[in-house]
């Protein structure tokens, strides 16, 4: 318990940044709702709902995304629908970046930090298994579950690569997703320990890595192409401060998903001015939608 | 094999590229990218056995369209299949690999021989009474 209090102290720096801060702290002690993504490569939302009805499993739809469901149960890994690859257990906020990226059938798309594959398989699904989705992951150990998940979901258009994202070889994609390595404070409802591991120094170290990966992503997309940058943390050093570094090469577009409550990106933090455009980014806090926490920015290469 | 054994309509596989790597056949949506890749596409068939064996993932993707050599299980038979068991079963199929379904959805691959259905579900996908291993999901 003492350790958790230490972890919570790392959030105090956000007291003025996060609206209704005490509500925010309270919801962190409650478990996340179980959400799954419907895998349209293997089933349809209606077929899945029929099977859930028959099995007596309660569910509700997400207000903002037609392919996600909240399930009233706690062991999705025991469902036949999981064995058959009809569902992918995925936190609701984790479905946001690909919805913003909005890949289309036949395009070429890179997921530059892909493991374990929740977003890669979501990209493949939006592309209706056509075109090219490259799933990149530098760690050999993390490629194993990435490959298994892509195959379980029936992805025919995924190629797996193993590069350091900062040095991904020259190629031209229509869209790139940078779901960056981060300090993961937004995952606290799943595991409060992520808060204990936090330090500002860790954010600043990650900042350097994140900027380099995002710069590479912009080099890899065609002019006019889309780069989505996302993290599951609140630290501005890993969010607005990263995006602000590439605005000489790309412009921001609004992240607006109707049905989802969020806050605009920060224009400044602790005396650092990031610029007015940064309000086009979106911050999603757990108490706004009863989810995890996420940051998303949509960039168009100029 | 997909058309001959399972009667799949040819358009299911049209437009796909097939690549052989080791003793596996992979299917990919189009031209593989000009990049050094770890893997490209989905493993659909193993050449390690004779006859060639379709993968669970490929059958789950295409098997609903099978018009031949498909077995529809009842609830108790399904429980035994997903536990990885072999069971006596009367079915109107030829001996060899079959598509196994429950409530109209594909569970995976079975080997049918001499009136018995042998589950071919990979060990890591099986579900038994005791409990299933953690799923390969992520929350992030």
């Amino acid at each position: 318990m003492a350790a958790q209090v230490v972890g919570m102290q790392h959030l105090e720096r956000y007291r003025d940044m996060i609206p209704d801060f005490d509500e925010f702290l309270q919801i962190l002690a409650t478990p996340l709702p179980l959400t799954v993504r419907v895998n349209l490569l293997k089933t349809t939302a209606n077929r899945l709902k029929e099977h859930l009805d028959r099995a007596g499993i309660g569910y509700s739809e997400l207000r903002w995304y037609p392919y996600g469901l909240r399930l009233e149960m706690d062991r999705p890994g025991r469902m036949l629908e999981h064995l058959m690859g009809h569902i992918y257990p995925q936190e609701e906020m984790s479905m946001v970046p690909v919805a913003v990226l909005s890949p289309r059938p036949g395009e070429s798309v890179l997921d530059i930090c892909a493991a374990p594959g929740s977003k890669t398989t979501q990209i493949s699904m939006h592309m209706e298994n056509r075109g090219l989705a490259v799933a990149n992951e530098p760690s050999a150990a993390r490629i194993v579950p990435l490959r298994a998940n892509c195959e379980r979901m029936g992805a025919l258009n995924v190629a797996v690569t193993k590069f350091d994202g900062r040095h991904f070889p020259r190629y031209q994609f229509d869209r790139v997703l940078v779901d960056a390595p981060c300090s993961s404070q937004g995952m606290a409802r799943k595991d409060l320990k992520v808060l204990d591991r936090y330090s500002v120094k860790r954010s600043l170290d990650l900042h350097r890595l994140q900027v380099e990966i995002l710069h590479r992503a912009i080099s890899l997309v065609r002019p006019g192409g889309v780069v989505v940058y996302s993290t599951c943390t609140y630290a501005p050093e890993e969010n607005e401060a990263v995006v602000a570094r590439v605005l000489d090469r790309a412009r921001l577009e609004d992240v607006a998903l109707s049905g989802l409550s969020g806050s605009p990106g920060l224009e400044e933090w602790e005396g650092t001015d990031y610029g007015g455009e940064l309000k086009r980014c979106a911050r999603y806090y757990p108490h706004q939608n009863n989810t995890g926490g996420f940051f998303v920015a949509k960039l168009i290469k100029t | 094999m997909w058309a001959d054994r399972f009667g799949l309509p040819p358009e299911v596989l049209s437009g796909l590229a097939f690549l052989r790597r080791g003793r596996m056949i992979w299917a990919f949506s189009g031209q593989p990218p000009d990049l050094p890749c770890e893997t490209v596409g989905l493993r659909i068939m193993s050449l390690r056995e004779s006859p060639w064996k379709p993968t669970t993932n490929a059958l789950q993707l295409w098997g609903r369209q099978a018009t031949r050599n498909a077995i529809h299980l009842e609830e108790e038979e399904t429980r035994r299949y997903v536990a990885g068991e072999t069971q006596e079963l009367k079915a109107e199929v030829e001996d060899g690999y079959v598509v196994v379904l429950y409530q109209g959805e594909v569970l995976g691959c079975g080997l049918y021989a001499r009136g018995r259905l042998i589950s071919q579900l990979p060990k890591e996908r099986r579900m038994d009474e005791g409990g299933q291993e953690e799923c390969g999901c992520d929350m992030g």
Side-chain angles (χ1 to χ4, degrees), chain A residues 129-148:
Chain A
N129 245 345
R130 287 182 276 157
L132 169 68
V134 174
N136 182 66
E137 169 54 47
S139 149
R142 286 167 57 87
I143 280 183
V144 176
L146 170 62
R147 281 183 45 187

Side-chain angles (χ1 to χ4, degrees), chain B:
Chain B
M1 160 189 185
W2 300 92
D4 293 351
R5 173 122 193 119
F6 300 116
L8 287 188
E11 57 269 24
V12 171
L13 302 183
S14 70
L16 295 177
F18 300 95
L19 312 130
R20 181 173 172 170
R21 220 177 102 173
R23 304 189 73 182
M24 296 298 292
I25 301 288
W26 298 66
F28 186 67
S29 55
Q31 193 64 29
D34 185 16
L35 282 169
C37 292
E38 298 292 302
T39 59
V40 174
L42 181 72
R43 280 175 290 184
I44 62 163
M45 203 154 60
S46 165
L47 313 183
R48 273 183 211 116
E49 6 253 313
S50 178
W52 295 348
K53 179 181 175 182
T55 64
T56 297
N57 290 317
L59 286 181
Q60 288 181 349
L61 192 59
W62 298 322
R64 276 182 105 229
Q65 297 175 76
T67 53
R68 289 201 281 283
N69 291 315
I71 297 181
H72 294 260
L73 299 183
E74 300 296 330
E75 188 174 342
E76 173 59 16
E77 295 161 350
T78 297
R79 189 199 62 71
R80 299 189 66 180
Y81 171 84
V82 300
E85 295 175 16
T86 295
Q87 55 192 309
E88 304 280 335
L89 197 80
K90 282 204 171 56
E92 297 282 308
V93 295
E94 303 160 306
D95 279 6
Y97 293 115
V98 294
V99 186
V100 180
L101 303 97
Y102 175 59
Q103 293 182 344
E105 307 288 354
V106 179
L107 296 166
C109 181
L111 178 59
Y112 193 78
R114 296 184 293 277
R116 298 193 317 162
L117 176 67
I118 307 165
S119 175
Q120 303 293 300
L121 204 61
K123 284 192 184 62
E124 67 277 11
R125 302 279 281 267
R126 290 179 192 170
M127 291 159 61
D128 53 33
E129 297 291 287
Q132 151 98 339
E133 71 292 334
E134 275 308 293
C135 54
C137 60
D138 87 306
M139 309 297 280

Side-chain angles (χ1 to χ4, degrees), chain A residues 109-158:
Chain A
V109 180
L110 170 64
D111 183 356
I112 200 166
C113 311
S118 50
K119 298 177 189 75
T120 300
T121 54
Q122 191 182 0
I123 287 169
S124 177
M125 175 180 109
H126 278 253
M127 297 173 75
E128 299 169 13
N129 245 345
R130 287 182 276 157
L132 169 68
V134 174
N136 182 66
E137 169 54 47
S139 149
R142 286 167 57 87
I143 280 183
V144 176
L146 170 62
R147 281 183 45 187
N149 283 324
C150 288
E151 292 206 79
R152 184 173 66 83
M153 300 309 268
L156 288 165
N157 64 343
V158 172

Side-chain angles (χ1 to χ4, degrees), chain A residues 128-276:
Chain A
E128 299 169 13
N129 245 345
R130 287 182 276 157
L132 169 68
V134 174
N136 182 66
E137 169 54 47
S139 149
R142 286 167 57 87
I143 280 183
V144 176
L146 170 62
R147 281 183 45 187
N149 283 324
C150 288
E151 292 206 79
R152 184 173 66 83
M153 300 309 268
L156 288 165
N157 64 343
V158 172
V160 176
T161 60
K162 182 169 156 266
F163 296 103
D164 180 328
R166 295 171 290 187
H167 309 296
F168 192 94
R170 184 195 289 262
Y171 204 84
Q172 194 172 72
F173 293 96
D174 296 305
R175 297 170 204 262
V176 180
L177 174 63
V178 183
D179 186 46
C182 74
S183 57
S184 305
Q185 291 175 316
M187 310 267 276
R189 292 180 75 187
K190 190 188 170 205
D191 179 9
L192 272 174
K193 289 194 205 68
V194 297
L195 299 178
D196 303 336
R197 291 193 284 268
Y198 184 77
S199 69
V200 175
K201 180 182 180 301
R202 186 160 145 73
S203 274
L204 294 173
D205 289 344
L206 284 162
H207 168 90
R208 278 189 287 279
L209 172 66
Q210 291 156 344
V211 169
E212 285 186 59
I213 297 174
L214 183 54
H215 263 303
R216 189 64 198 141
I218 290 171
S219 301
L220 289 164
V221 81
R222 65 170 166 79
V226 180
V227 175
V228 167
Y229 177 82
S230 60
T231 73
C232 58
T233 201
Y234 310 116
E237 296 87 347
E238 301 178 52
N239 293 326
E240 288 87 349
V242 173
V243 173
R245 293 277 299 275
V246 301
L247 292 182
D248 54 335
R249 304 177 63 206
R251 63 181 169 82
L252 281 164
E253 260 190 13
D254 287 330
V255 173
L257 292 169
S258 107
L260 202 55
S261 309
S263 296
L266 306 178
E267 296 175 49
E268 64 92 28
W269 162 256
E270 291 186 338
T272 308
D273 183 9
Y274 299 131

Side-chain angles (χ1 to χ4, degrees), chain A residues 99-115:
Chain A
V100 173
L101 187 71
S102 197
R104 296 186 191 137
E107 290 185 333
S108 61
V109 180
L110 170 64
D111 183 356
I112 200 166
C113 311

